[in-house]
């Protein structure tokens, strides 16, 4: 099918990250109207769903005014997937002009919007689904012989994270302090208190759970999984490696990862990503075959190019430190969701499930500084800036972006998640309204 342009929004060309193939949801406000409301990005503009709520609810079965006029996406996320699909189809028709009713007054310029947290996140879980990342971290923490634990190829390993410290693109991030092992070589010497020195990013994506919650005791099946995934964002799972090293045995990450996780503001649906469905880098899961409940008969992922940049305070431009791809995950989003609920865990609309760090095989596709600097044994060059890093410095701005591009298909971009690191002890303003904290 040829690309369908928008007569109303000529900037929404096939190669714009917000082409008419994308239609991602976000929550925004403007200085002239500070009400937080739901929008859909189209080219250089945002379609204000509140401004056309009647048009939408009249034509989409099951859609209520609350779903499109709330200050977050939870109500819409909680609807059956056929309602989100109906809404996407109707927005596509309106934006591309095959259905009448919209004028340019329904849109605001992207440059005029302030983005807000897209949803109230009830629970946040983070997986560990890149075989390359798990092997690299395992080798560094436990040695090459114990790199991949015996369970890893049988289930998507994960841990329960902390929803209250999921922040948005643009938020300040303060270097954490905590307990650190006193002697690097000998844990028996105990700990000291201090600012984390081994501050790291983790290149991840995450998905928002959608659909009515399954009751406790009723797992989500593989056949149902795509109807319970509302859409994806790019995510940075900020990590303190020295805190992690001392605390993680035997229960896994705790304080090392409870202080900041940041996400990009636009949620991209699986329907937008469908033309980008691709084999995973692993191609198949044969050795071992997953148990039946977690076997995906359509085992695949999405071809999403991911990039991480760092800009130090004295640098004039950001420099790329990693290029990876969402295809690099061994366990896909369906398998993560199905496994999370197999015990009967009730998954609620607005829950956020992180993919785990997305590393590929080549060194320049590693998704964390821990791997890029191989626990401090090599320096990572920041382009031609003359600067090098092992772990992150105060004042560094870390940015992650994701984009899908293919000839003949509209581009699907995620925008980016960009955050600056402030020194330990920096006071942030009293309210991090909408997930964006600023230095006081
Ligand atoms: O103990 C380990 O092997 C490492 C655990 C993590 O770093 C947890 C994590 O955030 C996983 C990930 O992002 O892939
Ligand atoms: Ca992580
Ligand atoms: Mg985190």
């Amino acid at each position: 099918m040829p690309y369908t342009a928008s007569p109303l929004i000529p900037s929404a060309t096939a190669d714009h990250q917000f082409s008419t193939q994308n239609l991602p949801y976000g929550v925004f406000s403007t200085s002239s109207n500070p009400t937080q409301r739901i929008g859909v990005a189209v080219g250089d503009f945002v379609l204000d769903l509140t401004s056309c709520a009647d048009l939408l609810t009249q034509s989409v079965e099951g859609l209520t005014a609350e779903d499109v006029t709330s200050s977050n996406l939870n109500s819409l996320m909680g609807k059956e997937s056929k309602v989100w699909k109906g809404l996407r189809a109707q927005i596509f028709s309106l934006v591309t002009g095959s259905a009448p009713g919209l004028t340019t007054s329904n849109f605001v310029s992207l440059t005029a919007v302030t983005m807000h947290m897209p949803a109230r996140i009830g629970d946040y879980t983070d997986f560990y689904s890149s075989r390359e990342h798990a092997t690299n971290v395992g080798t560094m923490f436990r040695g090459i012989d114990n790199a991949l634990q015996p369970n890893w190829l049988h289930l998507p390993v994960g841990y329960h994270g902390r929803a209250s410290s999921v922040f948005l693109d643009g938020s300040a991030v303060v270097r954490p302090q905590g307990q650190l092992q006193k002697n690097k070589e000998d844990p028996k010497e105990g700990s000291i208190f201090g600012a984390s020195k081994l501050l790291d990013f983790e290149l991840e994506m995450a998905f928002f759970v959608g659909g009515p919650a399954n009751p406790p005791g009723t797992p989500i099946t593989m056949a149902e999984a795509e109807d319970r995934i509302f859409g994806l964002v790019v995510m940075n799972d900020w990590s303190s490696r020295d805190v992690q090293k001392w605390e993680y045995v035997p229960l896994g990450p705790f304080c090392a990862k409870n202080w900041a996780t940041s996400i990009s503001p636009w949620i991209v649906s699986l329907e937008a990503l469908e033309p980008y469905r691709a084999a995973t880098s692993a191609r198949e899961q044969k050795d071992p075959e997953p148990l039946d409940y977690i076997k995906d008969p359509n085992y695949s992922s999405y071809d999403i190019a991911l990039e991480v940049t760092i800009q130090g305070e004295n640098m004039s431009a950001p420099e790329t430190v990693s290029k990876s791809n969402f295809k690099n995950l061994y366990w896909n989003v369906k398998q993560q969701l199905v496994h999370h609920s197999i015990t009967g865990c009730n998954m609620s609309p607005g829950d956020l499930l992180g993919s785990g760090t997305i590393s590929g095989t080549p060194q320049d596709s590693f998704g964390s500084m821990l791997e890029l600097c191989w626990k401090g044994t090599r320096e990572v060059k920041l382009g031609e800036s003359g600067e090098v890093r092992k772990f992150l410095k105060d004042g560094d701005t870390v940015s992650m972006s994701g984009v899908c591009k293919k000839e003949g298909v509209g581009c699907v971009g995620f925008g980016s998640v960009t955050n600056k690191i402030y020194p330990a002890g920096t006071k942030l303003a009293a309210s991090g309204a909408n997930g964006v904290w600023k230095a006081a």
Side-chain angles (χ1 to χ4, degrees), residues 126-127 159 202 204 237 257 356-357:
D126 191 26
F127 286 95
Y159 67 96
E202 283 186 332
E204 303 199 21
D237 183 28
K257 288 165 183 280
T357 308

Side-chain angles (χ1 to χ4, degrees), residues 375-391:
K375 63 173 182 183
T377 60
R378 61 183 174 221
E379 285 181 328
V380 179
K381 265 183 81 178
L382 301 186
E384 300 308 312
S385 68
E387 295 220 19
V388 292
R389 289 289 181 281
K390 286 179 174 171
F391 290 89

Side-chain angles (χ1 to χ4, degrees), residues 375-437:
K375 63 173 182 183
T377 60
R378 61 183 174 221
E379 285 181 328
V380 179
K381 265 183 81 178
L382 301 186
E384 300 308 312
S385 68
E387 295 220 19
V388 292
R389 289 289 181 281
K390 286 179 174 171
F391 290 89
L392 298 167
K393 286 190 176 165
D394 291 344
D396 282 355
T397 297
V398 179
S399 185
M400 297 177 176
S401 58
V403 69
C404 308
K405 283 184 189 157
K406 190 152 97 185
E407 196 58 40
V409 181
C411 176
V412 172
F414 287 77
S416 56
V417 52
T418 303
N419 306 87
K420 184 172 169 179
I421 301 165
Y422 288 78
T426 302
K427 295 276 177 286
L428 298 183
S431 154
N434 321 310
V436 183
W437 291 86

Side-chain angles (χ1 to χ4, degrees), residues 120-165:
R120 232 181 319 103
I121 300 170
D123 276 303
Y124 157 55
T125 303
D126 191 26
F127 286 95
Y128 191 40
S129 290
S130 149
R131 184 171 184 165
E132 291 75 13
H133 173 69
T135 304
N136 288 340
V137 174
T139 304
M140 286 183 268
F141 277 39
R142 292 173 284 273
I144 197 139
D145 296 335
N146 300 305
L148 216 53
Q149 296 291 307
N151 59 6
W152 199 95
L153 289 165
H154 295 267
L155 55 83
V157 170
Y159 67 96
H160 291 295
R162 187 162 175 85
S164 67
S165 52

